[in-house]
């Protein structure tokens, strides 16, 4: 049925990096098409690793990942990455113009589409202030951008690619309040009707998620919505009532 398209399943997934210390331990999780999941938890718990695996920057050592009901190792890397729009914790822009960074190889994207995507996420605001606007050079030798601004450009890129699955790894480094509220609005615009996984540090993002997962030591320590987890008075409660 059509509802399975953006469904994600982790089945008995294990992962370790080259040092072989276990990072993800027997992760089992089904994320419904259109659902918004927030991953929270203390540093080093394995949240970014889960994103690395889902984007297939790495593959599970044991167990598997299914996207839209298919084992993702049966799909091409390109097919997987074209279905996922991702904003990384430390976003990387390549050397080129802002326009090229938003289009990201989509040669058919028109200037109108690019600007519409930037407007939707609130990136247009700071881009317009550059001398060359969308033609300003970024990356090596270009203008310096904050992490928040890079995330906004990545958000515009994600909007333009119209993915089934949206992943956001919120920056842990400081983002000014204006940029932060732009990011928040941009995320809300993308998350509509899409399967979304948000690694969240801001309570505003977390509260609106359908399900919150506290990830600790590579496992799901707690799961529920904001009200349920507060009532539990456990790890989530301790993280967010301090
Ligand atoms: P924060 O972003 O700080 O909140 O942490 P996180 O939950 O995203 O944790 P992450 O997935 O980045 O890390 C999980 C564990 O894997 C930690 O023990 C890290 O030190 C380790 N780790 C992460 N990336 C690498 C890597 O590239 N190589 C190795 N060897 N270990 C890594
Ligand atoms: Mg991380």
């Amino acid at each position: 049925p059509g509802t399975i398209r953006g469904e994600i399943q982790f089945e008995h997934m294990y992962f370790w990096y080259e040092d072989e210390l276990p990072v993800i331990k027997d992760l089992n999780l089904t994320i419904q098409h259109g659902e918004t999941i927030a991953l929270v938890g203390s540093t080093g718990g394995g949240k970014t690793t889960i994103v690395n695996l889902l984007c297939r920057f790495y593959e599970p050592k044991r167990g598997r990942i299914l996207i839209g009901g298919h084992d993702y190792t049966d799909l091409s890397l390109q097919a997987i990455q074209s279905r996922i729009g991702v904003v990384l914790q430390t976003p990387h822009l390549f050397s080129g113009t802002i326009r090229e960074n938003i289009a990201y190889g989509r040669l058919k994207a028109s200037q109108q589409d690019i600007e519409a995507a930037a407007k939707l996420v609130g990136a247009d605001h700071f881009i317009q202030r550059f001398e060359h606007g969308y033609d300003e050079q970024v990356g090596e030798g270009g203008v310096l951008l904050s992490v928040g601004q890079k995330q906004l450009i990545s958000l515009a890129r994600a909007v333009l690619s119209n993915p089934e699955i949206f992943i956001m790894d919120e920056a842990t480094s400081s983002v000014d309040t204006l940029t932060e509220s732009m990011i928040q609005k941009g995320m809300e615009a993308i998350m509509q009707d899409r399967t979304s996984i948000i690694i969240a540090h801001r309570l505003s993002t977390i509260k609106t998620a359908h399900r919150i997962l506290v990830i600790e030591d590579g496992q799901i320590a707690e799961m529920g919505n904001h009200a349920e987890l507060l009532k539990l008075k456990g790890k989530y409660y301790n993280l967010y009532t301090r």
Side-chain angles (χ1 to χ4, degrees):
T3 51
I4 202 170
R5 277 192 328 121
E7 185 182 86
I8 299 163
Q9 287 162 280
F10 298 98
E11 284 184 358
H12 297 290
M13 185 172 80
Y14 289 79
F15 184 74
W16 51 87
Y17 290 98
E18 59 283 358
D19 56 13
E20 299 193 358
L21 297 168
V23 176
I24 303 295
K25 301 164 192 167
D26 197 21
L27 181 72
N28 288 287
L29 176 69
T30 298
I31 304 170
Q32 311 287 333
H33 177 83
E35 193 178 13
T36 298
I37 293 283
L39 302 183
V40 303
S42 45
T43 185
K47 304 179 294 298
T48 297
T49 301
I50 293 171
V51 168
N52 286 341
L53 287 160
L54 190 52
C55 295
R56 209 165 150 191
F57 301 145
Y58 297 92
E59 286 179 11
K61 299 291 184 185
R62 281 165 64 190
R64 59 181 192 157
I65 298 176
L66 294 95
I67 296 178
H70 300 280
D71 186 327
Y72 87 159
T73 57
D74 293 338
L75 308 168
S76 74
L77 194 58
Q78 201 192 359
I80 293 165
Q81 291 179 357
S82 73
R83 289 165 76 171
I84 298 176
V86 62
V87 177
L88 301 174
Q89 190 168 15
T90 46
H92 176 77
L93 300 182
F94 56 83
S95 295
T97 64
I98 290 180
R99 180 195 315 284
E100 287 163 350
N101 268 281
I102 295 174
Y104 197 60
R106 277 184 183 72
L107 301 173
K108 284 187 216 146
S110 69
Q111 175 60 13
Q112 260 175 327
D113 292 341
I114 291 168
E115 288 187 21
K119 281 203 178 91
L120 190 74
V121 303
D124 184 66
H125 176 78
F126 79 86
I127 297 170
Q128 294 285 8
R129 291 209 307 255
F130 290 124
E131 190 185 345
H132 303 291
Y134 285 81
D135 294 315
E136 193 75 41
Q137 285 287 133
V138 295
E140 236 166 275
V143 287
L144 290 177
L145 298 173
S146 70
V147 171
Q149 289 174 327
K150 288 183 192 167
Q151 285 210 319
L152 281 172
I153 290 175
S154 305
L155 276 171
R157 180 190 289 169
V159 165
L160 190 68
S161 71
N162 191 24
E164 285 167 24
I165 297 164
F166 169 62
I167 303 174
M168 171 96 193
D169 200 344
E170 287 183 346
T172 30
S173 55
S174 63
V175 172
D176 67 82
T177 40
L178 175 65
T179 308
E180 183 171 320
S181 74
M182 294 292 186
I183 291 173
Q184 184 64 35
K185 283 195 189 124
M187 285 167 59
E188 281 163 16
I190 303 181
M191 276 152 50
Q192 295 287 338
D193 306 320
R194 254 183 259 279
T195 308
S196 304
I197 299 177
I198 315 295
I199 298 178
H201 309 289
R202 291 187 270 281
L203 206 52
S204 50
T205 311
I206 301 166
K207 274 179 167 169
T208 54
H210 297 118
R211 268 192 295 168
I212 301 160
L213 279 66
V214 180
I215 303 295
E216 248 179 35
D217 215 3
Q219 292 177 311
I220 302 169
E222 282 177 10
M223 182 160 71
N225 67 28
H226 181 68
E228 288 164 355
L229 291 185
L230 281 186
K231 220 189 261 173
L232 210 61
K233 289 218 156 81
K235 295 172 195 292
Y236 181 79
Y237 180 88
N238 286 328
L239 276 172
Y240 290 99
T241 57
R242 269 178 300 185

